[in-house]
Amino acid sequence: MASESVILVTGGSGLVGEAVKWVIENETGERFGKRENEKWIFLSSKDGDLRKEADVKAIFEKYKPTHVVHLAAMVGGLFKNMKYKLDFLRENMMMNENILWQSKEFNVKKVVSCLSTCIFPDKTTYPIDETMVHDGPPHDSNFGYAYGKRMIDVYNHAYNEQFGCHFTSVIPTNVFGPHDNYELEGSHVLPGLTHKCYLAKKNNTPFVVWGSGKPLRQFIYSRDLAKLFIWTLREYEEIDPIILSVGEKDEVSIKDVADGIVKAMDFQGEYAFDSTKADGQYKKTANNAKLMKYIPDFEFTPFDVAIKESVEWFEQNYDTLRK
Ligand code: NAP
Ligand code: GFB
């Protein structure tokens, strides 16, 4: 990227957006750190409602981006997805439509959008890889979000074939880290259990994990994902998506996650499972071979270290964080 690059990050105030900001501001190395010719702009919904075409057009007129990292979305855990399937579909479709159309209109050189491994078919062989995105219906618990996200890949190919646009996407597994959303109902499992364990310790009440604790997940630390986003923006040339995930061997159970939080919070109290609550998808084991072929030496933060750092950030920012 020779001339000055203006990189617009939508969803810059969220879990992943704040991690990209942290890496750009703190990483010193050439590989992931900020470069001379780069100007990074991190948006929040205060800069404009991306569901509204006029707001998006105004943002593009103001910043005239050369590159876009499109993170903004309606996001939530299993229980929020089960409750608001249509909102997830409509809101994300509107944001994606507006961002990609204005990116074409303003001749943006590259857009990197964000999918999720929950979009893959539910009835499939494992491990899942990038070629399987459209091979059948997603899990019923999140089909609204999943189909909305799949359409990004369809858009990217259509924009490329009709207008030669260079719009691509990445597919992260479950993400966690500082600046997460800690709502007790709507959040993802790791921030949700972090908040519940904190309250159980504070109020001397039982720490209750929903479901059986048996489902399996791969978790990527937001700051590792942020580095991979920066690499994708700078180096990844394909239109096809790429999975950004730890390896299959790092898959853990929901019980392992809860154990890790109990340890990081030094919780000594009663710890139980509420099997009346849904387990959701049993697993969505993703294959990261494509990523490892591109960056064989990439080092992921060990899970227990990343949980410890995330719990410390949570405790230090409890008064101001989203909950
Ligand atoms: P998040 O923490 O909930 O942040 C969402 C971001 O989108 C915030 O910056 C929010 O702005 C912005 N936003 C939401 N609605 C908007 C609207 N109508 N107009 C303008 N901005 C809006 O989400 P995240 O976890 O960082 O997710 C980032 C991306 O990663 C999403 O595309 C998500 O689908 C994907 N992803 C997440 C996970 C995960 O486990 N978290 C896993 C796979 C993929 P405000 O701060 O102003 O509300
Ligand atoms: O992160 P999560 O909500 O979503 O994890 P998914 C759900 C798993 O954690 C289920 C268990 O097996 C739940 O039974 N769990 C236990 C809990 N305690 C809790 C808790 O307090 N809160 C939550 N949320 N779960 C989502 C998709 O699937 O993955 C989204 O629905 C998105 O669209 C996200 O893609 C990354 O991993 O099941």
Side-chain angles (χ1 to χ4, degrees):
M1 290 191 256
S3 58
E4 198 207 26
S5 298
V6 178
I7 302 155
L8 189 70
V9 181
T10 74
S13 53
L15 164 70
V16 182
E18 287 284 354
V20 174
K21 193 187 296 174
W22 187 89
V23 170
I24 286 296
E25 290 169 356
N26 293 281
E27 270 289 321
T28 48
E30 168 65 16
R31 196 170 191 195
F32 302 118
K34 184 178 176 311
R35 293 181 176 170
E36 282 295 302
N37 67 324
E38 292 176 346
K39 183 175 165 204
W40 289 77
I41 296 149
F42 294 90
L43 298 180
S44 79
S45 59
K46 295 188 188 65
D47 296 289
D49 182 342
L50 303 183
R51 295 168 297 180
K52 299 187 179 132
E53 185 172 8
D55 285 24
V56 178
K57 197 159 184 287
I59 287 170
F60 275 67
E61 263 151 9
K62 178 176 177 185
Y63 295 110
K64 306 243 177 330
T66 58
H67 298 74
V68 175
V69 175
H70 177 37
L71 301 173
M74 178 179 173
V75 178
L78 168 65
F79 302 94
K80 189 174 176 182
N81 268 272
M82 290 161 69
K83 220 169 167 181
Y84 302 106
K85 291 175 182 172
L86 181 67
D87 295 353
F88 274 100
L89 179 63
R90 287 188 69 239
E91 301 213 4
N92 289 332
M93 289 287 286
M94 286 189 267
M95 289 189 242
N96 303 337
E97 158 64 24
N98 292 332
I99 290 292
L100 295 176
W101 180 252
Q102 294 305 328
S103 294
K104 194 275 291 179
E105 293 290 276
F106 282 79
N107 301 313
V108 164
K109 293 178 184 158
K110 187 169 181 179
V111 177
V112 179
S113 294
C114 196
L115 312 183
S116 171
T117 53
C118 76
I119 73 170
F120 282 102
D122 182 41
K123 299 199 177 21
T124 181
T125 55
Y126 295 104
I128 296 164
D129 69 43
E130 291 84 353
T131 65
M132 300 171 173
V133 169
H134 303 288
D135 288 0
H139 191 264
D140 184 60
S141 64
N142 55 37
F143 72 74
Y145 174 85
Y147 279 120
K149 286 288 186 180
R150 283 189 188 186
M151 284 308 118
I152 290 178
D153 180 50
V154 177
Y155 270 124
N156 288 346
H157 286 279
Y159 272 106
N160 179 256
E161 290 180 24
Q162 190 171 339
F163 297 109
C165 298
H166 191 179
F167 300 169
T168 188
S169 64
V170 300
I171 314 177
T173 51
N174 292 48
V175 190
F176 73 100
H179 298 278
D180 212 328
N181 176 347
Y182 300 90
E183 284 166 21
L184 293 172
E185 279 288 320
S187 67
H188 291 103
V189 60
L190 205 145
L193 291 180
T194 300
H195 195 177
K196 285 173 182 161
C197 191
Y198 174 85
L199 294 174
K201 189 173 177 183
K202 187 161 151 259
N203 306 331
N204 202 11
T205 50
F207 169 46
V208 179
V209 179
W210 289 344
S212 67
K214 295 197 176 75
L216 302 173
R217 299 285 185 270
Q218 286 153 294
F219 290 89
I220 186 166
Y221 189 34
S222 59
R223 292 178 177 173
D224 293 344
L225 177 61
K227 290 176 185 169
L228 295 173
F229 253 106
I230 293 163
W231 169 81
T232 306
L233 184 71
R234 291 173 177 164
E235 321 264 348
Y236 184 68
E237 295 305 328
E238 300 181 35
I239 302 296
D240 282 334
I242 183 167
I243 290 172
L244 302 182
S245 170
V246 295
E248 293 146 64
K249 64 173 180 32
D250 297 309
E251 190 174 48
V252 293
S253 72
I254 299 301
K255 180 176 181 316
D256 296 330
V257 173
D259 291 348
I261 291 165
V262 161
K263 184 162 165 263
M265 280 194 162
D266 189 25
F267 177 75
Q268 308 288 337
E270 194 193 328
Y271 168 9
F273 290 85
D274 174 358
S275 51
T276 67
K277 292 278 185 180
D279 266 345
Q281 200 166 14
Y282 177 66
K283 68 177 186 177
K284 36 186 167 175
T285 315
N287 177 343
N288 70 352
K290 183 175 179 179
L291 175 66
M292 288 298 118
K293 209 173 71 226
Y294 275 109
I295 331 184
D297 60 343
F298 186 81
E299 283 178 25
F300 292 96
T301 307
F303 191 46
D304 57 343
V305 173
I307 287 193
K308 188 78 183 136
E309 288 180 11
S310 305
V311 164
E312 277 164 8
W313 185 91
F314 170 85
E315 290 171 336
Q316 284 153 14
N317 295 276
Y318 188 73
D319 297 340
T320 55
L321 50 74
R322 289 180 289 174
K323 57 181 179 294

